Amino acid sequence: RTRFAPCPTGYMHLGNLRTALYTYLYARRKGGRFILRIEDTDQEREVPGAIDVIYNSLKTAGLSHDEGPDVGGPVGPYIQSQRKDTYMPYAKRLIESGHAYYCFCTKERLESARAEAEAKGETFKYDKHCLRLSKEEIRARLDAGEEYVIRQNIPSEGKAGFDDVIYGHVEVDCDTLDDNVLIKADGLPTYNFANVIDDHLMGITHVMRGNEYLSSAPKYTLLYRALGWEPPAYVHLTPVMVEGTQKNKKTGEYLMAADENGNPVLDENGNPVKAIVKRKMSKSQGDPSFEDLLAQGYLVEAVINYLVLLGWSPRGEREFYTLKELEEVFDLEGLSKSPSFFDMQKLNWFNAEYVRRLSPEKYLEIASPWMARALDPAKFDFRRLAELLQGRTEVFSQLPGMIRFLAELPDYSPELFVNRKQKSTPESAKAALEAAIPLLEGIGEWTEAGLHDRVMEAIPGLGMKNGQFLWPVRIALSGQMSTPGGAFEIAWLLGREESLKRLKQGLEKL
């Protein structure tokens, strides 16, 4: 029994999706259950509609959960705020056994203690002040309605540890751990405490999560022991990293590059250069979320295939897997101990491979809305365009820019007519266009085949090589060096009148 337990903060970042993917795949591989639990105990950070984003993202990715808020199950509710009454009895049980205690410290006292620790250059750790209160004083303060939290009572000596599938045995000295809050003043559990209680009550056998929780896990083990429970198997996943710019979280300003002497690095215009750093992927730093990638025209299957390989290695050299195939081969042994790096160029390559494997009908279905952003479908043959574009498409969001020249000829420089490889010079380009205009004017049936046969038949008589003639014709028709299809395909898509108009405009440039 595995679980994916996101916080409803508004979107599905790729690290979250990868955790969900690994958790789902392991459950399927083992014939187990994949559970969705919404962890919304931090009410201040919750974004309206975020739970629906989680449902939609999982559904779109193909990760169907067996139990969850929307499908039910035997150990619900599956939203933590709806389980509020579940946690206090366990907190009080810990108080009775001496593993937790009431804390009445005010915000002012804690801030003062924290400031004092910082002034000494020390890490703040709660001083167990309220642990020393007598039972009578505690009862009097509770009866008086004083605000309180419940803290975990970490032993002052000894060690706390656990076994992790990736990192092996992890152990820390107890005196380095803080007495963290289990129940907040609003009566809701903290993230850490709710995790322990819910994982046990829901029968979770394997917990997969980011390694930022590695330092908290020893405290979880102490709670499991205090409650007499067996902890689940832990799998702390290494982060997904990226090389990119980074903003200061407080000021929102970018970190700037500096040389070995600490002086700012300047570009050719004398402006400071942004520093390129290795950091965790983050929406706040401008990195794309799952929804962003889909909106940009990446295929779900390509994103999932690429994402599963960021931190997991299959046996052998194979890279392409369907989700169903991954369910049959995913294992914990292939998980990496090193951070993985998200490479947009590699994702583009994956996506392009998946695009090429689409049927022509499926490609046309996906591409048509993108082409319609640049062209009127009533004026252009989208089916023919799709045939020309499929082999050149990396990401569907590129399509409008690739075909916009058909709707409106862009302004272009006469220098484009010059091409050494095609032996095209301004003089030869002018000669080619002068010959092409009457040649195309005389073509009876305006078809790709008709254009091809008539032009290719005429070129030898003009004393030109094929490329020397066709290069300037294509430049005049498109105004750009790279196009889907060559001169004949473009001329047919544009039609006789528009093609001749553009050829004459090109001749005027020369």
Side-chain angles (χ1 to χ4, degrees):
R1 290 174 65 84
T2 69
R3 51 80 164 170
F4 176 54
C7 300
T9 54
Y11 64 93
M12 180 79 76
H13 66 68
L14 294 178
N16 259 359
L17 180 59
R18 189 192 65 165
T19 299
L21 178 60
Y22 288 172
T23 303
Y24 166 85
L25 291 175
Y26 192 62
R28 292 290 175 264
R29 173 74 188 276
K30 293 296 184 179
R33 305 278 286 177
F34 174 55
I35 295 150
L36 173 64
R37 185 173 75 223
I38 304 298
E39 302 200 330
D40 62 342
T41 55
D42 190 347
Q43 301 281 296
E44 292 181 1
R45 293 181 61 221
E46 183 173 345
V47 175
I51 293 179
D52 288 332
V53 171
I54 294 168
Y55 293 151
N56 293 334
S57 295
L58 291 177
K59 182 178 180 181
T60 301
L63 310 184
S64 56
H65 47 283
D66 304 298
E67 301 172 28
D70 54 338
V71 298
V75 292
Y78 293 89
I79 297 180
Q80 281 186 339
S81 60
Q82 297 176 7
R83 299 169 63 85
K84 178 178 178 179
D85 296 337
T86 302
Y87 309 104
M88 186 62 81
Y90 292 101
K92 290 185 176 179
R93 182 169 149 188
L94 290 169
I95 290 174
E96 291 169 3
S97 65
H99 293 96
Y101 56 94
Y102 292 103
C103 176
F104 300 93
C105 287
T106 63
K107 183 179 180 181
E108 290 73 22
R109 181 185 185 276
L110 294 174
E111 288 179 349
S112 174
R114 186 173 283 107
E116 186 178 334
E118 289 178 359
K120 295 178 181 178
E122 301 173 352
T123 301
F124 171 73
K125 196 175 88 165
Y126 184 67
D127 59 4
K128 293 183 182 287
H129 174 78
C130 289
L131 179 62
R132 295 185 284 272
L133 297 177
S134 66
K135 288 184 178 181
E136 293 75 19
E137 185 174 354
I138 292 171
R139 174 47 51 196
R141 297 178 78 161
L142 291 174
D143 291 343
E146 281 193 43
E147 191 174 86
Y148 68 88
V149 300
I150 297 178
R151 289 183 180 274
Q152 183 177 1
N153 184 17
I154 302 288
S156 299
E157 54 187 30
K159 294 183 181 294
F162 68 99
D163 293 317
D164 184 83
V165 169
I166 295 178
Y167 292 92
H169 187 69
V170 178
E171 193 173 72
V172 297
D173 293 326
C174 288
D175 63 7
T176 65
L177 302 176
D178 193 15
D179 284 5
N180 55 295
V181 174
L182 304 180
I183 300 290
K184 297 179 289 186
D186 60 5
L188 284 173
T190 55
Y191 174 86
N192 291 329
F193 188 52
N195 258 267
V196 169
I197 303 303
D198 287 341
D199 284 344
H200 174 76
L201 296 181
M202 292 183 176
I204 302 302
T205 60
H206 294 75
V207 171
M208 295 189 193
R209 59 186 172 205
N211 69 355
E212 64 266 27
Y213 297 107
L214 202 61
S215 61
S216 301
K219 299 179 185 179
Y220 298 164
T221 303
L222 291 173
L223 288 173
Y224 276 106
R225 288 176 184 167
L227 291 165
W229 298 340
E230 186 68 26
Y234 286 116
V235 187
H236 286 89
L237 304 169
T238 55
V240 179
M241 307 289 285
V242 67
E243 284 192 356
T245 57
Q246 185 168 0
K247 295 179 182 178
N248 183 301
K249 290 185 178 180
K250 292 184 178 179
T251 66
E253 297 177 350
Y254 284 99
L255 301 182
M256 307 309 291
D259 62 21
E260 55 197 21
N261 297 317
N263 300 314
V265 176
L266 305 178
D267 62 19
E268 62 273 13
N269 298 317
N271 299 315
V273 175
K274 296 173 185 175
I276 302 299
V277 299
K278 294 179 180 179
R279 56 169 174 76
K280 285 179 62 175
M281 287 197 78
S282 168
K283 178 73 171 177
S284 63
Q285 298 289 343
D287 299 322
S289 67
F290 180 49
E291 290 81 8
D292 291 335
L293 291 177
L294 300 187
Q296 292 168 20
Y298 288 87
L299 295 172
V300 171
E301 298 81 1
V303 175
I304 293 299
N305 194 155
Y306 176 63
L307 203 56
V308 78
L309 299 177
L310 288 179
W312 176 75
S313 298
R315 304 292 179 262
E317 300 297 319
R318 183 179 173 185
E319 288 189 291
F320 293 93
Y321 292 89
T322 65
L323 186 62
K324 192 66 181 174
E325 290 170 338
L326 287 169
E327 292 175 15
E328 297 170 359
V329 300
F330 182 81
D331 55 24
L332 300 183
E333 290 75 19
L335 292 173
S336 174
K337 294 183 179 181
S338 302
S340 51
F341 280 86
F342 180 85
D343 182 348
M344 190 63 82
Q345 294 304 314
K346 186 65 181 287
L347 175 59
N348 288 349
W349 178 79
F350 258 97
N351 203 67
E353 290 295 316
Y354 271 87
V355 168
R356 280 191 274 275
R357 298 177 187 199
L358 293 173
S359 68
E361 293 75 18
K362 188 64 177 178
Y363 177 87
L364 176 62
E365 176 189 333
I366 299 172
S368 290
W370 290 98
M371 291 192 287
R373 296 188 182 191
L375 303 178
D376 183 348
K379 296 181 180 179
F380 293 93
D381 188 332
F382 277 17
R383 182 171 295 277
R384 180 60 180 132
L385 263 174
E387 292 170 353
L388 297 172
L389 288 164
Q390 184 166 2
R392 302 168 64 92
T393 303
E394 279 192 338
V395 185
F396 282 97
S397 57
Q398 299 169 339
L399 295 187
M402 294 169 69
I403 61 176
R404 192 167 282 116
F405 74 91
L406 292 168
E408 183 178 0
L409 182 67
D411 186 29
Y412 64 94
S413 168
E415 294 176 1
L416 289 186
F417 287 112
V418 178
N419 186 314
R420 290 184 180 180
K421 184 178 180 181
Q422 303 296 349
K423 298 183 178 179
S424 178
T425 64
E427 293 75 22
S428 67
K430 183 176 181 181
L433 295 183
E434 287 175 337
I437 291 171
L439 185 62
L440 297 188
E441 284 178 333
I443 290 179
E445 186 177 355
W446 195 269
T447 64
E448 282 187 45
L451 288 163
H452 175 275
D453 293 346
R454 182 71 185 91
V455 170
M456 297 305 290
E457 180 184 297
I459 288 176
L462 299 172
M464 292 184 178
K465 298 290 186 180
N466 291 348
Q468 197 174 24
F469 181 89
L470 294 174
W471 177 264
V473 170
R474 186 167 66 84
I475 293 297
L477 291 173
S478 67
Q480 51 193 45
M481 297 178 67
S482 178
T483 56
F488 305 123
E489 292 87 354
I490 294 171
W492 179 78
L493 286 164
L494 288 171
R496 183 194 305 271
E497 183 179 345
E498 180 66 20
S499 294
L500 289 170
K501 175 185 172 183
R502 294 187 179 194
L503 290 174
K504 291 173 183 177
Q505 290 175 333
L507 185 57
E508 290 175 2
K509 284 181 176 287
L510 292 165

